[in-house]
Amino acid sequence: MKTYIWPVLLFLALLFIFPADCAAGAKNGLLLWFNTMIPSVFPFILITGLIRAGGGIRLFNRLFGPVISRLFGCTSGGSYAVIIGFLCGYPMGAKAISDSLNTKVISRNEAVYLLCFCNNPSPMFVVNFVLGACLARPDLTIMFFAVIFTSTWLNARIWRFFFYRKQPAFLSVSAQMPMSALSLSVDGCLISSLELIQKIGGYMIIFSIFCQLLSKLPFPALFNVSGFLPACLSGFMEQTTGLAALCALNIDDSVKIIGSAAFVCFGGLAAAAQTYGIISVQRLPLKYYLISKAGHGIMAGCITAACLSVMY
């Protein structure tokens, strides 16, 4: 019997025990996917597919490789994944890594290294949802982006030590990794993009159900505020649900800001599941991603706390 059958049976039991809550969680996940992820992520999925089909990965690497490779200690071929990870949000950094590995622009070892820091929240998500809808603090835009970039850079430098101990600080593109020709049509890119966004939606619905079921657990009051621990656990599982729950609490704004920075930089288990759905084809390990993103979230929270202590 497969080891994963027991969690599946547990999930089935929860569906029968809490049918109303599971239905509500599925509805919330579906609406979140439809209203947030499709408009903010799907265009980037399609565009990156067209970039890959048109040979744009090599162009990105030529234009930005010299700067990105020195900042993040990767090859010039890895700069495309770094840029897409910053601009397009979860899980597009992982998809850019997968595309670069498929086209042999980067090695498998570098792909695992890039996974440690290339998945990041998109600027659109941070500005519109985190700072706009949740925190209502657009004045923190510059600080938030500075925290995300700084913590990502520190995360990259830490993990570079484990992957490239004996290699120089600047790595050039290997001559043994030529760009392979691709002939994907627009229709092909559209179909693959729709398949990926559907997969993301499925993971969001599943984790939204789990977040809904958290309300049934007997949590103790933490910080004398009922709901703080469930909000944190929701953010651990799915960042968007956790952000909304955290910012709805009657707690100090600094706690909300620090928690929001940690949530978006960690990404949640839902983003990890979405990432695994992309990298599993190449059988890239997920454990380094999970460990590095947990550290990323902690660093982002600490840096945010330091910034707030200086600002106020």
Side-chain angles (χ1 to χ4, degrees):
M1 183 178 292
K2 299 290 186 179
T3 56
Y4 63 76
I5 194 63
W6 297 113
V8 171
L9 292 176
L10 175 61
F11 186 49
L12 178 63
L14 292 174
L15 291 176
F16 281 106
I17 297 171
F18 304 106
D21 293 284
C22 291
K27 180 180 178 181
N28 293 337
L30 179 62
L31 291 175
L32 187 63
W33 172 70
F34 185 81
N35 294 324
T36 303
M37 295 303 291
I38 290 181
S40 62
V41 174
F42 178 73
F44 290 107
I45 296 177
L46 180 59
I47 289 171
T48 54
L50 293 172
I51 289 173
R52 177 192 175 195
I57 295 179
R58 171 169 288 185
L59 177 62
F60 267 72
N61 293 336
R62 285 179 177 176
L63 291 176
F64 305 105
V67 175
I68 297 297
S69 60
R70 286 179 169 84
L71 276 175
F72 292 94
C74 59
T75 68
S76 295
S79 59
Y80 170 74
V82 177
I83 294 170
I84 294 299
F86 272 119
L87 295 181
C88 301
Y90 301 102
M92 295 310 300
K95 186 176 186 303
I97 294 169
S98 176
D99 290 344
S100 297
L101 184 59
N102 283 337
T103 53
K104 303 186 184 303
V105 175
I106 59 175
S107 66
R108 181 180 177 83
N109 187 56
E110 184 173 7
V112 178
Y113 167 60
L114 291 171
L115 271 176
C116 295
F117 65 91
C118 276
N119 253 3
N120 294 294
S122 70
M124 184 182 299
F125 177 79
V126 172
V127 172
N128 293 337
F129 186 77
V130 182
L131 298 176
C134 292
L135 291 172
R137 293 292 303 271
D139 56 300
L140 297 177
T141 300
I142 295 177
M143 188 204 76
F144 247 77
F145 286 135
V147 168
I148 292 171
F149 181 84
T150 303
S151 57
T152 302
W153 181 81
L154 289 173
N155 201 34
R157 304 313 294 185
I158 291 171
W159 283 92
R160 188 186 183 284
F161 172 78
F162 294 100
F163 285 95
Y164 296 115
R165 292 185 193 181
K166 299 180 181 180
Q167 297 192 28
F170 172 68
L171 303 172
S172 60
V173 178
S174 173
Q176 285 75 36
M177 298 179 192
M179 184 77 164
S180 62
L182 293 173
S183 58
L184 294 176
S185 65
V186 175
D187 287 344
C189 292
L190 184 60
I191 292 173
S192 63
S193 299
L194 288 170
E195 181 181 356
L196 179 56
I197 197 68
Q198 288 175 353
K199 185 183 295 185
I200 292 173
Y203 283 120
M204 291 186 68
I205 291 172
I206 292 172
F207 279 92
S208 182
I209 292 174
F210 286 138
C211 290
Q212 185 72 24
L213 291 173
L214 286 175
S215 62
K216 293 298 181 181
L217 297 179
F219 290 103
L222 195 59
F223 296 160
N224 295 320
V225 178
S226 178
F228 181 82
L229 187 56
C232 289
L233 290 176
S234 295
F236 177 76
M237 289 194 292
E238 205 284 310
Q239 59 169 335
T240 312
T241 305
L243 284 165
L246 178 67
C247 295
L249 297 176
N250 184 25
I251 57 177
D252 189 77
D253 282 349
S254 61
V255 177
K256 296 180 182 180
I257 296 169
I258 294 169
S260 297
F263 285 173
V264 298
C265 286
F266 172 57
L269 295 181
Q274 296 163 18
T275 298
Y276 180 73
I278 294 172
I279 65 174
S280 59
V281 177
Q282 289 99 352
R283 297 185 178 180
L284 296 175
L286 188 65
K287 60 180 180 180
Y288 297 113
Y289 173 85
L290 289 172
I291 297 171
S292 64
K293 293 305 292 181
H296 190 188
I298 293 172
M299 281 191 291
C302 292
I303 295 172
T304 302
C307 291
L308 292 177
S309 66
V310 173
M311 293 170 59
Y312 302 105

